[in-house]
Amino acid sequence: MIEDFLFNWIKKQKYGITVYPADLFELRIQEEMIRTDEAHGFFVYIEVNFVKVRGTLKDENAEYDFWKAFLKSLATKNRGSDSYGLLQGNSGIGLLLLDSEMQGWYRLKGRIQEFCRLTIGDVSETLNQGIKAFVYPACLARPEKSPTP
């Protein structure tokens, strides 16, 4: 159900969101890891698991409203540098928030919660159980330049 919903909204460009197919998204992640390593930067990687999200919602209507709010939140104040893609086996959707720290994810999470509040209520459990987010690389400390002799 959710795959059809996402594909229909993406095809219609309802919110102007482009989602990579799984194989291309995997390459995009690898490309960003290389860029980040070379630039000593960082990004937030987020995985949204379709099955886990579905398991926390009470029915299909709630699931539909959640995904509608999710896509709307991506489109609202969208940063052109961010990338979205399907995960392997179409098991979920992944997000790359480039040059962002966890605060970027927390802002997005807050938008999702706000958009859901009016339709399905509190989605804290859904966001906590169905979504994993972390910063790459895990250590944000930048290497200090060694003094020149």
Side-chain angles (χ1 to χ4, degrees):
M1 187 252 31
I2 190 56
E3 293 83 2
D4 294 335
F5 171 78
L6 281 173
F7 292 138
N8 286 335
W9 278 53
I10 292 165
K11 278 185 208 174
K12 293 177 186 175
Q13 286 295 296
K14 179 76 174 175
Y15 289 128
I17 297 170
T18 302
V19 178
Y20 286 99
D23 292 343
L24 290 177
F25 188 59
E26 184 67 32
L27 291 173
R28 180 66 189 94
I29 294 168
Q30 292 173 17
E31 174 186 60
E32 191 55 35
M33 291 170 79
I34 292 168
R35 185 195 72 82
T36 298
D37 289 344
E38 289 175 351
H40 302 289
F42 45 88
F43 64 89
V44 177
Y45 174 73
I46 302 163
E47 283 188 355
V48 185
N49 183 290
F50 292 149
V51 173
K52 288 182 180 179
V53 166
R54 183 176 298 127
T56 64
L57 299 168
K58 60 185 177 219
D59 57 37
E60 273 192 24
N61 289 333
E63 185 178 8
Y64 174 85
D65 288 339
F66 173 81
W67 288 109
K68 186 176 174 183
F70 182 85
L71 291 173
K72 185 177 177 182
S73 69
L74 294 181
T76 303
K77 298 180 183 175
N78 183 18
R79 299 177 336 141
S81 62
D82 295 341
S83 297
Y84 316 114
L86 293 173
L87 302 177
Q88 291 297 323
N90 290 341
S91 62
I93 189 166
L95 291 76
L96 294 175
L97 306 182
L98 306 185
D99 300 318
S100 184
E101 297 178 11
M102 286 305 282
Q103 282 303 103
W105 162 237
Y106 296 145
R107 281 190 300 276
L108 176 58
K109 186 177 176 181
R111 281 199 303 269
I112 296 167
Q113 289 173 314
E114 186 62 33
F115 289 136
C116 285
R117 189 168 288 125
L118 298 175
T119 55
I120 58 176
D122 183 20
V123 291
S124 298
E125 180 184 357
T126 301
L127 295 174
N128 291 334
Q129 291 186 23
I131 299 176
K132 294 188 298 186
F134 64 90
V135 176
Y136 178 90
C139 176
L140 290 179
R142 297 183 187 264
E144 294 184 31
K145 292 186 178 183
S146 58
T148 53

